[in-house]
Amino acid sequence: MAEVAETAQPLLERATADELKHYYYQMLLLRRFEERAGEMYVKAKIGGYCHLNLGEEATIVGLMAALTPDDYIFTNYREHGYIIARGVPPGPVMAELFGKETGVSGGRGGSMHLFDRKTNFMGGYAIVGGQVPLAVGAAYALRYQNKPGVVVAQMGDGTTNIGAFYESLNLAKLWKCPVLFFIVNNGYGMGTSVEAGSSEPDLWKKGASFRIHGERVDGTDVLAVRDVVRRLRARAEAEGEPAIIDAVSFRFRGHSVIDADRYRDPESVRRGRELYDPIRKFASLLLDHGVVDDAWLKSIAEQVEREVQEAIDFANNSPDPKFEDLYKYMYATPVPNTPTAEDAIRAVKINHGEFDV
């Protein structure tokens, strides 16, 4: 099986100045989007659950930078950053969090069920591991139909302890599916540490019994993540060889917005934010190598602030889904006896006590 991948900072020559600047811009956009999303949740603009990508920006941008338009990605419920990095504007993403008609899922999915067919972003899944078998099925479909591209099954570290993960590994190897199992290893599955929840804490080794190649990468290094994914992606597409990528990052906050994060020592969290902040690290790297200057960093921060505020304004000013469309997206194709728009309006009136059943 594989050795752990090198995690030393890759040479900046592996990317152009424009690419490096774009990666920084994307990471900063994701950071500010998530900070404002947390603020909107507290203000009750966002309902349900809300899981933020704070601290994982380099992991996200590095992964998405390595993919091609032919590739598909299935994610878990912590997916805001992935769909934005895939190319979907922040406005429709924020609108979905607000439950608005202009959201990427028409306001029906919310934070945990973002979806965009145009970019092959196949949705976030609220059930832990629910996306993994589906991703393997999609990868099998690509191979069976002899189509280009690979499939990424993004997941958290806790997902690697469920049965569907291992069943998926077995089938992926057996059927030579072009799929990458991308583990965002932030050290905790909800409030349980990796070491406390897994007898094998080196998650990249978990495909060993299926003869699946695995590597660990520094998830706070955007270029390291990009390079590993590019290499293993090319291998998966050319040879039908699945792989596991164990991207180690640091989660800035609790599992979700409402998680008080009392299971971690506050001082260790403070130190972690200082030591493992991917944006601060990347900014220092770009400054040290003369790729950017302080004036550029300031202008990008101002641009990002405007873009995120525009996304919030777009969401605030967007209409709610119509009552008569309550049953509109129940099925992908017409099904007999599906409730109609009239049924939806009747249900709403009954709920408001406008007339008896």
Side-chain angles (χ1 to χ4, degrees):
M1 297 306 295
E3 296 291 330
V4 178
E6 290 293 330
T7 58
Q9 185 69 43
L11 295 175
L12 292 182
E13 287 75 8
R14 289 181 176 175
T16 67
D18 286 344
E19 286 176 324
L20 295 170
K21 290 178 178 179
H22 183 62
Y23 297 156
Y24 180 84
Y25 157 74
Q26 282 192 310
M27 288 195 290
L28 192 62
L29 176 62
L30 303 191
R31 171 69 59 85
R32 196 63 185 126
F33 183 95
E34 294 291 62
E35 288 173 341
R36 294 301 303 277
E39 177 187 327
M40 294 300 105
Y41 189 91
V42 172
K43 291 181 177 180
K45 293 286 187 178
I46 299 172
Y49 289 101
C50 187
H51 306 79
L52 305 178
N53 294 125
L54 294 170
E56 300 174 1
E57 294 86 0
T59 299
I60 298 166
V61 173
L63 167 65
M64 304 311 280
L67 303 185
T68 75
D70 291 323
D71 298 335
Y72 292 77
I73 178 165
F74 292 73
T75 69
N76 66 357
Y77 41 76
R78 196 184 303 277
E79 87 275 40
H80 306 163
Y82 293 89
I83 194 168
I84 294 174
R86 186 61 170 164
V88 176
V93 178
M94 188 66 78
E96 186 60 39
L97 304 189
F98 278 43
K100 299 292 187 172
E101 184 74 35
T102 55
V104 292
S105 301
R108 276 74 168 177
S111 172
M112 297 196 288
H113 300 287
L114 306 178
F115 181 87
D116 185 66
R117 182 64 184 84
K118 293 179 181 177
T119 60
N120 292 341
F121 190 89
M122 306 310 291
Y125 290 79
I127 296 176
V128 173
Q131 74 278 22
V132 182
L134 300 179
V136 172
Y140 177 76
L142 287 180
R143 186 183 73 80
Y144 184 79
Q145 299 174 57
N146 197 29
K147 290 183 176 180
V150 305
V151 179
V152 174
Q154 177 267 5
M155 70 199 79
D157 43 78
T159 299
T160 67
N161 296 324
I162 70 170
F165 174 69
Y166 296 98
E167 293 172 1
S168 298
L169 292 179
N170 182 53
L171 291 179
K173 180 66 176 184
L174 194 64
W175 293 342
K176 298 185 71 65
C177 297
V179 59
L180 300 179
F181 299 94
F182 189 82
I183 305 167
V184 183
N185 184 354
N186 58 36
Y188 286 85
M190 295 189 72
T192 303
S193 69
V194 170
E195 292 75 15
S198 176
S199 59
E200 176 49 271
D202 293 332
L203 305 184
W204 61 277
K205 297 178 180 178
K206 286 199 167 187
S209 62
F210 305 101
R211 300 182 180 181
I212 290 180
H213 179 85
E215 297 186 26
R216 173 174 288 163
V217 65
D218 179 359
T220 68
D221 184 334
V222 63
L223 298 179
V225 175
R226 184 201 63 176
D227 290 353
V228 167
V229 175
R230 275 184 177 173
R231 174 166 47 81
L232 296 181
R233 183 213 164 278
R235 175 177 174 268
E237 184 174 41
E239 304 173 25
E241 285 292 344
I244 293 175
I245 300 170
D246 179 6
V248 181
S249 61
F250 185 83
R251 192 179 73 195
F252 276 22
R253 294 179 56 172
H255 176 71
S256 69
V257 175
I258 61 173
D259 179 3
D261 199 12
R262 293 192 179 96
Y263 43 84
R264 295 195 295 182
D265 174 57
E267 178 59 24
S268 68
V269 173
R270 185 193 65 78
R271 288 198 309 270
R273 289 179 178 178
E274 290 182 359
L275 293 173
Y276 305 117
D277 185 339
I279 295 177
R280 184 181 301 176
K281 286 175 57 177
F282 200 53
S284 296
L285 187 72
L286 297 183
L287 286 169
D288 291 345
H289 288 77
V291 178
V292 302
D293 56 22
D294 288 328
W296 185 88
L297 292 176
K298 183 175 183 294
S299 69
I300 287 298
E302 292 171 350
Q303 176 186 334
V304 164
E305 189 66 41
R306 288 194 301 271
E307 291 181 7
V308 175
Q309 185 59 53
E310 288 171 0
I312 293 172
D313 293 341
F314 174 78
N316 267 325
N317 296 325
S318 293
D320 294 324
K322 300 180 182 65
F323 287 132
E324 56 265 34
D325 291 337
L326 180 64
Y327 303 115
K328 185 175 180 180
Y329 300 112
M330 289 180 64
Y331 300 99
T333 55
V335 173
N337 302 318
T338 300
T340 64
E342 290 73 19
D343 294 325
I345 294 173
R346 176 180 170 82
V348 171
K349 288 183 175 180
I350 291 173
N351 187 56
H352 284 78
E354 296 184 23
F355 56 76
D356 295 330
V357 179

PDB file of all heavy atoms in Angstrom, residues 46-51 75-80 96-97 105 108-115 121-127 255-256:
ATOM      1  N   ILE A  46     -31.634  31.919   8.277  1.00  0.00           N
ATOM      2  CA  ILE A  46     -31.382  30.546   7.831  1.00  0.00           C
ATOM      3  C   ILE A  46     -31.976  29.601   8.859  1.00  0.00           C
ATOM      4  O   ILE A  46     -31.742  29.763  10.062  1.00  0.00           O
ATOM      5  CB  ILE A  46     -29.867  30.285   7.675  1.00  0.00           C
ATOM      6  CG1 ILE A  46     -29.271  31.223   6.623  1.00  0.00           C
ATOM      7  CG2 ILE A  46     -29.605  28.832   7.306  1.00  0.00           C
ATOM      8  CD1 ILE A  46     -27.751  31.178   6.538  1.00  0.00           C
ATOM      9  N   GLY A  47     -32.749  28.633   8.408  1.00  0.00           N
ATOM     10  CA  GLY A  47     -33.366  27.676   9.317  1.00  0.00           C
ATOM     11  C   GLY A  47     -32.714  26.310   9.217  1.00  0.00           C
ATOM     12  O   GLY A  47     -31.837  26.070   8.397  1.00  0.00           O
ATOM     13  N   GLY A  48     -33.152  25.397  10.056  1.00  0.00           N
ATOM     14  CA  GLY A  48     -32.625  24.039  10.033  1.00  0.00           C
ATOM     15  C   GLY A  48     -31.197  23.974  10.551  1.00  0.00           C
ATOM     16  O   GLY A  48     -30.790  24.770  11.394  1.00  0.00           O
ATOM     17  N   TYR A  49     -30.443  23.023  10.033  1.00  0.00           N
ATOM     18  CA  TYR A  49     -29.042  22.870  10.432  1.00  0.00           C
ATOM     19  C   TYR A  49     -28.150  23.647   9.481  1.00  0.00           C
ATOM     20  O   TYR A  49     -28.503  23.910   8.325  1.00  0.00           O
ATOM     21  CB  TYR A  49     -28.644  21.400  10.425  1.00  0.00           C
ATOM     22  CG  TYR A  49     -29.258  20.606  11.544  1.00  0.00           C
ATOM     23  CD1 TYR A  49     -30.369  19.803  11.319  1.00  0.00           C
ATOM     24  CD2 TYR A  49     -28.725  20.657  12.823  1.00  0.00           C
ATOM     25  CE1 TYR A  49     -30.949  19.077  12.353  1.00  0.00           C
ATOM     26  CE2 TYR A  49     -29.292  19.933  13.864  1.00  0.00           C
ATOM     27  CZ  TYR A  49     -30.401  19.135  13.617  1.00  0.00           C
ATOM     28  OH  TYR A  49     -30.963  18.430  14.633  1.00  0.00           O
ATOM     29  N   CYS A  50     -26.969  24.014   9.954  1.00  0.00           N
ATOM     30  CA  CYS A  50     -26.028  24.775   9.138  1.00  0.00           C
ATOM     31  C   CYS A  50     -24.613  24.416   9.568  1.00  0.00           C
ATOM     32  O   CYS A  50     -24.228  24.666  10.718  1.00  0.00           O
ATOM     33  CB  CYS A  50     -26.280  26.282   9.296  1.00  0.00           C
ATOM     34  SG  CYS A  50     -25.311  27.324   8.207  1.00  0.00           S
ATOM     35  N   HIS A  51     -23.869  23.807   8.656  1.00  0.00           N
ATOM     36  CA  HIS A  51     -22.505  23.351   8.944  1.00  0.00           C
ATOM     37  C   HIS A  51     -21.524  24.163   8.099  1.00  0.00           C
ATOM     38  O   HIS A  51     -21.664  24.217   6.879  1.00  0.00           O
ATOM     39  CB  HIS A  51     -22.356  21.866   8.631  1.00  0.00           C
ATOM     40  CG  HIS A  51     -23.368  21.002   9.307  1.00  0.00           C
ATOM     41  ND1 HIS A  51     -24.662  20.871   8.826  1.00  0.00           N
ATOM     42  CD2 HIS A  51     -23.297  20.233  10.425  1.00  0.00           C
ATOM     43  CE1 HIS A  51     -25.342  20.048   9.622  1.00  0.00           C
ATOM     44  NE2 HIS A  51     -24.538  19.655  10.591  1.00  0.00           N
ATOM     45  N   THR A  75     -21.233  15.326  -2.131  1.00  0.00           N
ATOM     46  CA  THR A  75     -20.688  15.805  -0.862  1.00  0.00           C
ATOM     47  C   THR A  75     -21.590  15.439   0.307  1.00  0.00           C
ATOM     48  O   THR A  75     -22.709  14.959   0.129  1.00  0.00           O
ATOM     49  CB  THR A  75     -20.519  17.340  -0.879  1.00  0.00           C
ATOM     50  OG1 THR A  75     -21.825  17.944  -0.895  1.00  0.00           O
ATOM     51  CG2 THR A  75     -19.742  17.807  -2.087  1.00  0.00           C
ATOM     52  N   ASN A  76     -21.076  15.732   1.486  1.00  0.00           N
ATOM     53  CA  ASN A  76     -21.923  15.615   2.671  1.00  0.00           C
ATOM     54  C   ASN A  76     -22.613  16.951   2.917  1.00  0.00           C
ATOM     55  O   ASN A  76     -22.696  17.794   2.024  1.00  0.00           O
ATOM     56  CB  ASN A  76     -21.097  15.144   3.878  1.00  0.00           C
ATOM     57  CG  ASN A  76     -20.055  16.162   4.323  1.00  0.00           C
ATOM     58  OD1 ASN A  76     -19.873  17.224   3.723  1.00  0.00           O
ATOM     59  ND2 ASN A  76     -19.342  15.844   5.380  1.00  0.00           N
ATOM     60  N   TYR A  77     -23.084  17.159   4.127  1.00  0.00           N
ATOM     61  CA  TYR A  77     -23.881  18.347   4.443  1.00  0.00           C
ATOM     62  C   TYR A  77     -23.040  19.599   4.693  1.00  0.00           C
ATOM     63  O   TYR A  77     -23.585  20.684   4.826  1.00  0.00           O
ATOM     64  CB  TYR A  77     -24.753  18.073   5.675  1.00  0.00           C
ATOM     65  CG  TYR A  77     -24.024  17.303   6.744  1.00  0.00           C
ATOM     66  CD1 TYR A  77     -23.093  17.916   7.550  1.00  0.00           C
ATOM     67  CD2 TYR A  77     -24.246  15.933   6.902  1.00  0.00           C
ATOM     68  CE1 TYR A  77     -22.395  17.212   8.505  1.00  0.00           C
ATOM     69  CE2 TYR A  77     -23.554  15.208   7.862  1.00  0.00           C
ATOM     70  CZ  TYR A  77     -22.635  15.858   8.663  1.00  0.00           C
ATOM     71  OH  TYR A  77     -21.942  15.139   9.596  1.00  0.00           O
ATOM     72  N   ARG A  78     -21.719  19.477   4.743  1.00  0.00           N
ATOM     73  CA  ARG A  78     -20.849  20.648   4.944  1.00  0.00           C
ATOM     74  C   ARG A  78     -20.320  21.075   3.569  1.00  0.00           C
ATOM     75  O   ARG A  78     -19.137  20.982   3.278  1.00  0.00           O
ATOM     76  CB  ARG A  78     -19.696  20.273   5.891  1.00  0.00           C
ATOM     77  CG  ARG A  78     -18.951  21.489   6.479  1.00  0.00           C
ATOM     78  CD  ARG A  78     -17.765  21.034   7.324  1.00  0.00           C
ATOM     79  NE  ARG A  78     -18.151  20.136   8.390  1.00  0.00           N
ATOM     80  CZ  ARG A  78     -18.626  20.516   9.580  1.00  0.00           C
ATOM     81  NH1 ARG A  78     -18.780  21.799   9.839  1.00  0.00           N
ATOM     82  NH2 ARG A  78     -18.959  19.631  10.507  1.00  0.00           N
ATOM     83  N   GLU A  79     -21.242  21.575   2.723  1.00  0.00           N
ATOM     84  CA  GLU A  79     -20.881  21.682   1.310  1.00  0.00           C
ATOM     85  C   GLU A  79     -20.950  23.075   0.717  1.00  0.00           C
ATOM     86  O   GLU A  79     -20.742  23.244  -0.489  1.00  0.00           O
ATOM     87  CB  GLU A  79     -21.769  20.721   0.498  1.00  0.00           C
ATOM     88  CG  GLU A  79     -23.112  21.256   0.042  1.00  0.00           C
ATOM     89  CD  GLU A  79     -24.236  21.145   1.034  1.00  0.00           C
ATOM     90  OE1 GLU A  79     -23.999  21.382   2.248  1.00  0.00           O
ATOM     91  OE2 GLU A  79     -25.360  20.859   0.612  1.00  0.00           O
ATOM     92  N   HIS A  80     -21.206  24.107   1.499  1.00  0.00           N
ATOM     93  CA  HIS A  80     -21.325  25.452   0.925  1.00  0.00           C
ATOM     94  C   HIS A  80     -20.116  25.813   0.073  1.00  0.00           C
ATOM     95  O   HIS A  80     -20.246  26.289  -1.058  1.00  0.00           O
ATOM     96  CB  HIS A  80     -21.454  26.512   2.026  1.00  0.00           C
ATOM     97  CG  HIS A  80     -22.555  26.262   3.003  1.00  0.00           C
ATOM     98  ND1 HIS A  80     -22.619  26.899   4.224  1.00  0.00           N
ATOM     99  CD2 HIS A  80     -23.638  25.453   2.948  1.00  0.00           C
ATOM    100  CE1 HIS A  80     -23.688  26.499   4.885  1.00  0.00           C
ATOM    101  NE2 HIS A  80     -24.315  25.606   4.132  1.00  0.00           N
ATOM    102  N   GLU A  96     -30.480  29.783  -1.293  1.00  0.00           N
ATOM    103  CA  GLU A  96     -30.923  28.446  -0.888  1.00  0.00           C
ATOM    104  C   GLU A  96     -30.878  28.306   0.627  1.00  0.00           C
ATOM    105  O   GLU A  96     -31.781  27.714   1.235  1.00  0.00           O
ATOM    106  CB  GLU A  96     -30.061  27.368  -1.549  1.00  0.00           C
ATOM    107  CG  GLU A  96     -30.541  25.955  -1.295  1.00  0.00           C
ATOM    108  CD  GLU A  96     -31.955  25.723  -1.820  1.00  0.00           C
ATOM    109  OE1 GLU A  96     -32.292  26.234  -2.897  1.00  0.00           O
ATOM    110  OE2 GLU A  96     -32.721  25.023  -1.123  1.00  0.00           O
ATOM    111  N   LEU A  97     -29.855  28.859   1.241  1.00  0.00           N
ATOM    112  CA  LEU A  97     -29.785  28.818   2.702  1.00  0.00           C
ATOM    113  C   LEU A  97     -30.960  29.569   3.316  1.00  0.00           C
ATOM    114  O   LEU A  97     -31.468  29.190   4.375  1.00  0.00           O
ATOM    115  CB  LEU A  97     -28.471  29.436   3.197  1.00  0.00           C
ATOM    116  CG  LEU A  97     -27.157  28.863   2.676  1.00  0.00           C
ATOM    117  CD1 LEU A  97     -25.982  29.441   3.445  1.00  0.00           C
ATOM    118  CD2 LEU A  97     -27.139  27.355   2.750  1.00  0.00           C
ATOM    119  N   SER A 105     -31.493  24.969  -5.173  1.00  0.00           N
ATOM    120  CA  SER A 105     -32.467  23.875  -5.108  1.00  0.00           C
ATOM    121  C   SER A 105     -33.892  24.406  -4.985  1.00  0.00           C
ATOM    122  O   SER A 105     -34.781  23.726  -4.455  1.00  0.00           O
ATOM    123  CB  SER A 105     -32.149  22.940  -3.929  1.00  0.00           C
ATOM    124  OG  SER A 105     -30.853  22.381  -4.055  1.00  0.00           O
ATOM    125  N   ARG A 108     -35.934  24.455  -1.645  1.00  0.00           N
ATOM    126  CA  ARG A 108     -36.461  23.226  -1.037  1.00  0.00           C
ATOM    127  C   ARG A 108     -35.410  22.447  -0.257  1.00  0.00           C
ATOM    128  O   ARG A 108     -35.734  21.597   0.564  1.00  0.00           O
ATOM    129  CB  ARG A 108     -37.025  22.297  -2.117  1.00  0.00           C
ATOM    130  CG  ARG A 108     -38.454  22.574  -2.547  1.00  0.00           C
ATOM    131  CD  ARG A 108     -38.570  23.792  -3.398  1.00  0.00           C
ATOM    132  NE  ARG A 108     -39.899  23.880  -4.032  1.00  0.00           N
ATOM    133  CZ  ARG A 108     -40.273  24.892  -4.782  1.00  0.00           C
ATOM    134  NH1 ARG A 108     -39.441  25.898  -5.027  1.00  0.00           N
ATOM    135  NH2 ARG A 108     -41.485  24.913  -5.325  1.00  0.00           N
ATOM    136  N   GLY A 109     -34.141  22.710  -0.519  1.00  0.00           N
ATOM    137  CA  GLY A 109     -33.093  21.881   0.068  1.00  0.00           C
ATOM    138  C   GLY A 109     -32.447  22.467   1.304  1.00  0.00           C
ATOM    139  O   GLY A 109     -32.090  21.755   2.230  1.00  0.00           O
ATOM    140  N   GLY A 110     -32.246  23.777   1.283  1.00  0.00           N
ATOM    141  CA  GLY A 110     -31.573  24.400   2.407  1.00  0.00           C
ATOM    142  C   GLY A 110     -30.089  24.092   2.441  1.00  0.00           C
ATOM    143  O   GLY A 110     -29.507  23.608   1.471  1.00  0.00           O
ATOM    144  N   SER A 111     -29.490  24.340   3.579  1.00  0.00           N
ATOM    145  CA  SER A 111     -28.039  24.246   3.737  1.00  0.00           C
ATOM    146  C   SER A 111     -27.471  22.874   3.390  1.00  0.00           C
ATOM    147  O   SER A 111     -26.384  22.767   2.817  1.00  0.00           O
ATOM    148  CB  SER A 111     -27.663  24.595   5.179  1.00  0.00           C
ATOM    149  OG  SER A 111     -26.296  24.345   5.424  1.00  0.00           O
ATOM    150  N   MET A 112     -28.180  21.817   3.720  1.00  0.00           N
ATOM    151  CA  MET A 112     -27.613  20.473   3.575  1.00  0.00           C
ATOM    152  C   MET A 112     -27.897  19.803   2.238  1.00  0.00           C
ATOM    153  O   MET A 112     -27.420  18.693   1.988  1.00  0.00           O
ATOM    154  CB  MET A 112     -28.117  19.574   4.707  1.00  0.00           C
ATOM    155  CG  MET A 112     -27.680  20.028   6.081  1.00  0.00           C
ATOM    156  SD  MET A 112     -27.875  18.761   7.350  1.00  0.00           S
ATOM    157  CE  MET A 112     -29.644  18.732   7.527  1.00  0.00           C
ATOM    158  N   HIS A 113     -28.645  20.463   1.364  1.00  0.00           N
ATOM    159  CA  HIS A 113     -29.026  19.814   0.109  1.00  0.00           C
ATOM    160  C   HIS A 113     -28.850  20.751  -1.080  1.00  0.00           C
ATOM    161  O   HIS A 113     -29.769  20.981  -1.851  1.00  0.00           O
ATOM    162  CB  HIS A 113     -30.471  19.327   0.187  1.00  0.00           C
ATOM    163  CG  HIS A 113     -30.710  18.334   1.281  1.00  0.00           C
ATOM    164  ND1 HIS A 113     -30.254  17.036   1.221  1.00  0.00           N
ATOM    165  CD2 HIS A 113     -31.335  18.460   2.477  1.00  0.00           C
ATOM    166  CE1 HIS A 113     -30.603  16.407   2.327  1.00  0.00           C
ATOM    167  NE2 HIS A 113     -31.248  17.244   3.109  1.00  0.00           N
ATOM    168  N   LEU A 114     -27.659  21.294  -1.226  1.00  0.00           N
ATOM    169  CA  LEU A 114     -27.349  22.127  -2.373  1.00  0.00           C
ATOM    170  C   LEU A 114     -27.139  21.234  -3.594  1.00  0.00           C
ATOM    171  O   LEU A 114     -26.622  20.124  -3.482  1.00  0.00           O
ATOM    172  CB  LEU A 114     -26.092  22.955  -2.103  1.00  0.00           C
ATOM    173  CG  LEU A 114     -26.121  23.808  -0.827  1.00  0.00           C
ATOM    174  CD1 LEU A 114     -24.794  24.528  -0.649  1.00  0.00           C
ATOM    175  CD2 LEU A 114     -27.271  24.805  -0.853  1.00  0.00           C
ATOM    176  N   PHE A 115     -27.497  21.749  -4.775  1.00  0.00           N
ATOM    177  CA  PHE A 115     -27.440  20.927  -5.991  1.00  0.00           C
ATOM    178  C   PHE A 115     -27.304  21.832  -7.203  1.00  0.00           C
ATOM    179  O   PHE A 115     -27.910  22.897  -7.269  1.00  0.00           O
ATOM    180  CB  PHE A 115     -28.721  20.097  -6.113  1.00  0.00           C
ATOM    181  CG  PHE A 115     -28.770  19.192  -7.312  1.00  0.00           C
ATOM    182  CD1 PHE A 115     -28.230  17.917  -7.264  1.00  0.00           C
ATOM    183  CD2 PHE A 115     -29.350  19.622  -8.499  1.00  0.00           C
ATOM    184  CE1 PHE A 115     -28.273  17.085  -8.364  1.00  0.00           C
ATOM    185  CE2 PHE A 115     -29.399  18.795  -9.609  1.00  0.00           C
ATOM    186  CZ  PHE A 115     -28.855  17.522  -9.539  1.00  0.00           C
ATOM    187  N   PHE A 121     -22.542  19.113  -9.849  1.00  0.00           N
ATOM    188  CA  PHE A 121     -22.512  19.084  -8.390  1.00  0.00           C
ATOM    189  C   PHE A 121     -23.761  18.353  -7.933  1.00  0.00           C
ATOM    190  O   PHE A 121     -24.871  18.907  -7.962  1.00  0.00           O
ATOM    191  CB  PHE A 121     -22.475  20.503  -7.824  1.00  0.00           C
ATOM    192  CG  PHE A 121     -22.213  20.562  -6.348  1.00  0.00           C
ATOM    193  CD1 PHE A 121     -20.920  20.629  -5.863  1.00  0.00           C
ATOM    194  CD2 PHE A 121     -23.253  20.530  -5.437  1.00  0.00           C
ATOM    195  CE1 PHE A 121     -20.664  20.667  -4.505  1.00  0.00           C
ATOM    196  CE2 PHE A 121     -23.013  20.568  -4.070  1.00  0.00           C
ATOM    197  CZ  PHE A 121     -21.719  20.634  -3.610  1.00  0.00           C
ATOM    198  N   MET A 122     -23.583  17.104  -7.517  1.00  0.00           N
ATOM    199  CA  MET A 122     -24.713  16.208  -7.335  1.00  0.00           C
ATOM    200  C   MET A 122     -25.309  16.211  -5.936  1.00  0.00           C
ATOM    201  O   MET A 122     -25.968  15.257  -5.521  1.00  0.00           O
ATOM    202  CB  MET A 122     -24.309  14.789  -7.731  1.00  0.00           C
ATOM    203  CG  MET A 122     -23.715  14.688  -9.138  1.00  0.00           C
ATOM    204  SD  MET A 122     -24.722  15.509 -10.416  1.00  0.00           S
ATOM    205  CE  MET A 122     -26.140  14.429 -10.462  1.00  0.00           C
ATOM    206  N   GLY A 123     -25.068  17.280  -5.213  1.00  0.00           N
ATOM    207  CA  GLY A 123     -25.810  17.468  -3.981  1.00  0.00           C
ATOM    208  C   GLY A 123     -25.063  17.153  -2.702  1.00  0.00           C
ATOM    209  O   GLY A 123     -24.096  16.393  -2.677  1.00  0.00           O
ATOM    210  N   GLY A 124     -25.554  17.770  -1.629  1.00  0.00           N
ATOM    211  CA  GLY A 124     -25.112  17.425  -0.291  1.00  0.00           C
ATOM    212  C   GLY A 124     -26.098  16.427   0.297  1.00  0.00           C
ATOM    213  O   GLY A 124     -27.285  16.437  -0.038  1.00  0.00           O
ATOM    214  N   TYR A 125     -25.618  15.567   1.169  1.00  0.00           N
ATOM    215  CA  TYR A 125     -26.457  14.502   1.737  1.00  0.00           C
ATOM    216  C   TYR A 125     -26.412  14.586   3.253  1.00  0.00           C
ATOM    217  O   TYR A 125     -25.342  14.581   3.859  1.00  0.00           O
ATOM    218  CB  TYR A 125     -25.989  13.131   1.240  1.00  0.00           C
ATOM    219  CG  TYR A 125     -26.290  12.963  -0.233  1.00  0.00           C
ATOM    220  CD1 TYR A 125     -25.471  13.546  -1.193  1.00  0.00           C
ATOM    221  CD2 TYR A 125     -27.430  12.291  -0.661  1.00  0.00           C
ATOM    222  CE1 TYR A 125     -25.760  13.441  -2.544  1.00  0.00           C
ATOM    223  CE2 TYR A 125     -27.732  12.177  -2.019  1.00  0.00           C
ATOM    224  CZ  TYR A 125     -26.895  12.764  -2.939  1.00  0.00           C
ATOM    225  OH  TYR A 125     -27.187  12.673  -4.275  1.00  0.00           O
ATOM    226  N   ALA A 126     -27.593  14.662   3.865  1.00  0.00           N
ATOM    227  CA  ALA A 126     -27.680  14.843   5.313  1.00  0.00           C
ATOM    228  C   ALA A 126     -27.395  13.556   6.080  1.00  0.00           C
ATOM    229  O   ALA A 126     -26.919  13.601   7.208  1.00  0.00           O
ATOM    230  CB  ALA A 126     -29.064  15.379   5.677  1.00  0.00           C
ATOM    231  N   ILE A 127     -27.692  12.410   5.477  1.00  0.00           N
ATOM    232  CA  ILE A 127     -27.417  11.129   6.134  1.00  0.00           C
ATOM    233  C   ILE A 127     -25.936  10.825   5.997  1.00  0.00           C
ATOM    234  O   ILE A 127     -25.390  10.823   4.881  1.00  0.00           O
ATOM    235  CB  ILE A 127     -28.258  10.000   5.512  1.00  0.00           C
ATOM    236  CG1 ILE A 127     -29.747  10.268   5.749  1.00  0.00           C
ATOM    237  CG2 ILE A 127     -27.853   8.644   6.069  1.00  0.00           C
ATOM    238  CD1 ILE A 127     -30.665   9.278   5.089  1.00  0.00           C
ATOM    239  N   HIS A 255     -19.194  21.339  15.342  1.00  0.00           N
ATOM    240  CA  HIS A 255     -19.723  20.552  14.226  1.00  0.00           C
ATOM    241  C   HIS A 255     -20.716  21.348  13.390  1.00  0.00           C
ATOM    242  O   HIS A 255     -20.710  21.274  12.162  1.00  0.00           O
ATOM    243  CB  HIS A 255     -20.400  19.295  14.776  1.00  0.00           C
ATOM    244  CG  HIS A 255     -21.070  18.460  13.740  1.00  0.00           C
ATOM    245  ND1 HIS A 255     -20.356  17.719  12.818  1.00  0.00           N
ATOM    246  CD2 HIS A 255     -22.380  18.256  13.467  1.00  0.00           C
ATOM    247  CE1 HIS A 255     -21.206  17.091  12.020  1.00  0.00           C
ATOM    248  NE2 HIS A 255     -22.436  17.401  12.395  1.00  0.00           N
ATOM    249  N   SER A 256     -21.573  22.110  14.030  1.00  0.00           N
ATOM    250  CA  SER A 256     -22.535  22.952  13.325  1.00  0.00           C
ATOM    251  C   SER A 256     -22.594  24.300  14.032  1.00  0.00           C
ATOM    252  O   SER A 256     -21.951  24.509  15.066  1.00  0.00           O
ATOM    253  CB  SER A 256     -23.920  22.296  13.295  1.00  0.00           C
ATOM    254  OG  SER A 256     -24.486  22.263  14.600  1.00  0.00           O
TER     255      SER A 256
END
